[in-house]
Amino acid sequence: MRRRSLAAVAFAVSVGVVAALLTGTAAAANDPGAAKANSRWLATKLKPDGTLENPNGGELPDHGLMLDVLFALYASGDGAKAEPIMKFLDDEGHASDYFTWDGLVPGAGYDKVIVGGSLAKMLVAAQVSGRNPRNVDGYDLVAETHAAVMRKGPDKGRISDYSKDPEHTGAVNNDANSFGQALGVIGLAAAGENDRVAIDRLLSQQCSEGYFRLLFEYIPTKETGDHVTPSGHKVSTCDEGKPLDRSPKDGDATGLGLSALLAARKAGATGLDAPIAKAVSWLKANQTSGGGWGGGVSTEAPNTNSTGMIVQALADAGGADGAVDKGVRYLKSAQATAADSGTKLAGELGAIAYNPAAYEDARTSGISGVDTWIRAGAQASLGLSQVGFYALAKGKTQPPTSSVPAPTTTTTIITTSVTPPPRPKKAGTPRAATVVQPPATIATPDTATPAARLGAYLANRLTDGDHVEVTEDGKTYVDYDATADVVLALRALDQQPDSVARASQFLVKPEAVQAYAHGAPYEQGEASYAGPLAKLVLVAEFAKADVAGQLRADLVKLRGIDGKFTDTGSFADADETVERHAWAVLATAADPGPAVELLLSRQCADGTFPKHLDTAECGSGDLGATAAAVTALAARPHTDAAPSTRRPDGWSERRVSAFAAAVGALGVRPTGEGVVTGEGGEPDVALSAAVAAARQTAGLDASGTARSLGELVQADGGLTKGSAGATDFPTSLAAAQGVAGRSWLTAADSPLSPAIRLPLTEANPSGAPVLAAEQSGSPPSWLIWGLAGLAVLLLLTVIALVFVLRRFTRKKGATP
């Protein structure tokens, strides 16, 4: 595409400052956009006074869930939406209703009965919301939390339920658990007052495998001393409780326990490295194949509530990027997005179900049990924001929406020589740019698959882990187009999810969008480019970023009544190719308008498509353009429904016939090894990959191409342009779909999916040509019959010519 030349100079940066300008310090796979969408939904569920109704009934609201929502809102940067909660609890004096018994039985002296876990949670909430934790509803929550830590007896170190008034001591049963213990450790750490006895008691709840149990369990003992009850029991350690089945695994307790140990260590506590490492290791080992985690007893199945808590902790701990990314994918698979606009989830944008199955049910039946969705979303959102509890309590959150700078028509340009970069050349003018090769940081073993090695190679070409840079005339620029191609290539390979997440976040930032899709700072007026907008739409939809809708709207503005997408601006793309048009059709697959008919009208006589869209008539076209057209014609918005082997709904007979003919044309050039050869008989890697991806999208086998191109992957993971020489980044990038044996359109989390699968059934109601099975590599039947007909026609022509020549030679007196 022409846009690569403009993108190479659209936003010039030096290696040292690009991160400061655009990237920020995001976690491995956080998704602030998804978190903010959930925050907006959660905020609408609060009553005007900031409360949530208690599903168990009674006059008191659900204080604990209100605080969960508060944590989620602040973590996403939308803390202002949580202000009604703290106004109700602090300003209006209802906090003590939560952590004492006074709200249950007012005026009976039960304000001196302390609920330890609730007190600790209130302390953290006060810190997160920026309130003075030493004066909330008239209580010094820091001092109260210290006081709730028992200093002697069987419960030594435990943040406990207790009564300050001996008169009520007998009525209080200490039900405090590991959740409250962990929250107390977090709150005291954030206050700068680590309480070692509380930390050690929390550590006793961790079993040797690394997990934490939820409940403090008493077991019989023959020991004597202060730690033994009069009845001969003591609070067991986690390992001591295992033989008695008193220490069940608990994902929630482990996630929050890990967050607490991290907070204590950040506040100066020592001796926590090994327990932290064990917790991280256990959580990584116990992640399900789908990416989620379960909680404890009765919530063992994977769910978003537990997964959000655990993802937040693992992201804070570091060293678990792969698990974090899979966890985020699991969370987002249960979140309502703009794609649900035509379902019963319409109007519930951002809501997160308890699990993906509940999300799917709600798409057809609507939300039932909104309380469960609030509980799930509040903790799931923490995994999307990935602000650790300690940082959250210290006031660190995602930047609020209002603080994100609005796109402008001018951008500060920084180069190594602090001089203005050259103006972009007009479309079609080549540039001699060299891809910057940053130090490799991702390694793969020699035994890794070709896809894994290629994925590492591509990820290692990302400067700062999130964008491609090129150099030209001694200056360094961001190549946005190549960065988008890397994202889609890695999606097809299903490799390097952390790099995919970071590069996707880089591309959808306002500054990047302005540079790539609108030509800032070179354009003097308004400008928009269809190719970049289309790729950005797809990148954003893969990442479920909120900006996707606006990007698509900007793209649709460029579509004329004839279906053609026309760039605007001084550097508009005048070289309108079929490939560029195909990208725009893919990005508007939900409503392509006349763009599909325009594409069909350009098909050549042999079923291929021309390279340029302005080619009105042609006998034979270009394989690369044909592959792009096939992919665009096949796509529909994602659905789990299998592709049709008949004419899909909404398809004309012409579209089915044109699609089948184009796919058949793609089957002519590849060899039996699934590669297209160029001049000299050498494999054309890029064209082979494009053809294979398009055929796989159509439901045909691309494994031959995957095997052949996989054998060409070099030791460093890349591929060469020819049979010899160093690995070449553009060739390696183009090879990804071929090495994967599939298109990015059929990859996990793709916003699109194929609408049709070949071969078509004999009962195809459209009457379109029926393709024979191509899994064996044999040509389609319509092509065979077409070639046979052509052979007959040629034979008749030859016979006619012989007859004419014989008559002609006889007239000249020639001897028969």
Side-chain angles (χ1 to χ4, degrees), residues 133-188:
R134 296 189 179 276
N135 185 17
V136 173
D137 190 13
Y139 288 80
D140 182 340
L141 299 181
V142 177
E144 292 286 353
T145 302
H146 277 302
V149 179
M150 298 295 102
R151 303 296 164 178
K152 60 182 180 179
D155 292 317
K156 181 178 179 181
R158 186 175 173 187
I159 296 175
S160 299
D161 302 341
Y162 77 105
S163 175
K164 297 179 182 180
D165 186 346
E167 181 181 343
H168 299 302
T169 297
V172 179
N173 188 49
N174 191 1
D175 293 322
N177 57 34
S178 290
F179 289 167
Q181 191 77 19
L183 287 165
V185 169
I186 291 169
L188 293 175

Side-chain angles (χ1 to χ4, degrees), residues 757-780:
R757 182 179 69 248
L758 301 180
L760 301 180
T761 61
E762 294 292 340
N764 181 8
S766 72
V770 178
L771 294 186
E774 291 206 6
Q775 303 303 324
S776 62
S778 59

Side-chain angles (χ1 to χ4, degrees), residues 672-701:
E673 291 75 34
V675 297
V676 179
T677 55
E679 295 182 5
E682 290 189 346
D684 187 325
V685 172
L687 193 54
S688 297
V691 169
R695 285 168 56 82
Q696 189 271 336
T697 299
L700 305 181
D701 184 29

Side-chain angles (χ1 to χ4, degrees), residues 206-501:
Q206 184 180 30
C207 273
S208 54
E209 294 91 337
Y211 71 87
F212 285 73
R213 67 179 182 182
L214 175 60
L215 301 177
F216 289 89
E217 292 284 358
Y218 285 87
I219 62 173
T221 182
K222 294 182 179 180
E223 298 174 11
T224 59
D226 182 54
H227 65 289
V228 179
T229 68
S231 63
H233 290 74
K234 71 170 185 176
V235 177
S236 65
T237 65
C238 187
D239 283 334
E240 288 172 335
K242 284 192 294 185
L244 300 176
D245 199 25
R246 300 288 185 87
S247 299
K249 301 176 178 66
D250 195 298
D252 292 312
T254 306
L256 193 55
L258 174 58
S259 290
L261 296 184
L262 291 168
R265 185 171 68 177
K266 291 174 182 178
T270 59
L272 301 180
D273 291 352
I276 287 172
K278 288 200 302 181
V280 170
S281 179
W282 186 87
L283 288 169
K284 289 168 65 176
N286 284 272
Q287 185 175 28
T288 64
S289 59
W293 283 270
V297 178
S298 80
T299 61
E300 299 95 334
N303 62 83
T304 57
N305 182 284
S306 301
T307 300
M309 179 74 73
I310 291 168
V311 166
Q312 180 200 48
L314 286 178
D316 193 18
D321 289 354
V324 168
D325 185 72
K326 285 181 66 178
V328 168
R329 288 194 228 177
Y330 176 83
L331 294 172
K332 291 165 66 175
S333 72
Q335 183 172 32
T337 67
D340 296 305
S341 58
T343 73
K344 290 294 184 67
L345 280 176
E348 306 288 356
L349 182 66
I352 299 176
Y354 183 70
N355 54 38
Y359 160 74
E360 292 295 340
D361 289 344
R363 296 185 85 234
T364 56
S365 304
I367 290 179
S368 61
V370 68
D371 173 76
T372 301
W373 285 67
I374 297 173
R375 292 180 191 281
Q379 287 194 185
S381 186
L382 298 177
L384 298 173
S385 297
Q386 291 175 24
V387 180
F389 261 112
Y390 180 77
L392 195 59
K394 298 293 283 186
K396 179 182 177 182
T397 67
Q398 291 291 343
T401 304
S402 59
S403 71
V404 177
T408 60
T409 55
T410 61
T411 307
T412 302
I413 306 301
I414 304 175
T415 68
T416 52
S417 57
V418 199
T419 57
R423 293 179 62 83
K425 297 180 181 180
K426 287 291 185 180
T429 305
R431 287 188 176 275
T434 303
V435 176
V436 173
Q437 183 172 325
T441 58
I442 301 172
T444 56
D446 294 338
T447 56
T449 64
R453 287 187 284 137
L454 177 57
Y457 172 90
L458 295 176
N460 279 328
R461 267 60 192 170
L462 296 172
T463 298
D464 294 334
D466 59 14
H467 68 279
V468 177
E469 290 185 356
V470 295
T471 58
E472 181 183 354
D473 298 330
K475 298 182 178 65
T476 302
Y477 310 103
V478 176
D479 191 333
Y480 294 97
D481 198 56
T483 304
D485 287 343
V486 168
V487 169
L488 295 177
L490 292 176
R491 291 284 190 184
L493 291 165
D494 195 23
Q495 296 292 325
Q496 304 298 326
D498 298 337
S499 297
V500 169

